[in-house]
Amino acid sequence: MPEQVLIADTSCFIVLVKVNELELLHKVYGEVTTTTDIAIEFGAVLPDWVTVKRVMNSDKQQAIEKQIDRGEASAIALALESPNSTVVLDDYKARKLAKSLGVRVTGTIGVIMRAKSKGIFSVIKPILEKIKETDFRLSEEIESQALRDVGE
C-alpha cells in the first residue's frame, strides 16, 4: 500500500502560521502536499517539506469550483488523483463535498488531535486557545468534542 499523502488547504497553513505551529504538519505527517492554486493563495514561501503539485484533471477541478472556492476545489481534485490521500479542509461545505466524492478528510483541529496521539503535545487546550485568538472559526461544539476525544 502506498504511503499516505496529506494534502493541505490554505486555511490550515494560515492558521498554523498564525499560532506559530506550521512545523506541526511536518512533525505529524512528514512530507505534505498542496496544489499550485493553494500555494499561490497562501502567498508566502512554503517550507521545503511541502511538495507543490499541479492538478492534472483541470476539468474535474473546474467542475468542483462551481460549488466551492478554487483552493479547496484544487485540493479535492488532487486527492481524487492521489491514491491513499487525506485532505485537510476546514470549510464545512468543502468537507461535505469531498466526503461525497469519497475523499478522506480531516481538519486543522484533526491535525492537532493527531499530534497529541503521536505524543507531540501532552495537551491540546493551549493551542486551541491560541487558535481562538485568530480569525479562525472554532465553535464551542468542535472544541469540546476535540477535547473529549483526546481525553482532556
Side-chain angles (χ1 to χ4, degrees):
M1 179 187 256
E3 193 175 316
Q4 181 180 347
V5 175
L6 184 81
I7 301 168
D9 184 37
T10 316
S11 67
C12 179
F13 289 135
I14 290 171
V15 75
L16 290 176
V17 164
K18 285 182 177 184
V19 297
N20 201 28
E21 293 287 354
L22 184 60
E23 188 68 24
L24 183 63
L25 284 168
H26 184 56
K27 290 177 184 173
V28 175
Y29 294 97
E31 189 170 307
V32 174
T33 301
T34 198
T35 69
T36 307
D37 288 320
I38 291 167
I40 292 166
E41 193 175 89
F42 180 60
V45 176
L46 289 163
D48 59 5
W49 45 264
V50 177
T51 301
V52 179
K53 290 189 176 177
R54 188 173 61 84
V55 173
M56 300 309 289
N57 187 341
S58 59
D59 291 339
K60 175 63 96 176
Q61 179 177 335
Q62 288 172 356
I64 296 169
E65 281 178 32
K66 291 178 179 169
Q67 299 176 64
I68 57 175
D69 87 16
R70 176 179 227 143
E72 293 159 343
S74 71
I76 293 169
L78 184 61
L80 292 169
E81 298 173 359
S82 308
N84 200 29
S85 62
T86 299
V87 181
V88 183
L89 294 169
D90 293 313
D91 178 78
Y92 175 76
K93 189 174 179 182
R95 290 169 68 93
K96 187 175 176 183
L97 177 60
K99 288 176 185 177
S100 77
L101 294 171
V103 173
R104 273 191 311 233
V105 175
T106 192
T108 301
I109 304 306
V111 171
I112 292 164
M113 292 168 62
R114 185 162 177 170
K116 180 176 180 182
S117 75
K118 292 183 128 221
I120 296 166
F121 293 126
S122 57
V123 291
I124 65 167
K125 187 157 181 65
I127 192 163
L128 296 181
E129 291 299 323
K130 284 175 31 178
I131 287 172
K132 290 190 317 189
E133 292 171 8
T134 72
D135 57 357
F136 186 83
R137 289 177 297 205
L138 176 59
S139 71
E140 285 185 33
E141 179 184 345
I142 290 173
E143 179 183 12
S144 296
Q145 183 66 51
L147 292 170
R148 270 194 307 276
D149 288 354
V150 299
E152 289 182 42

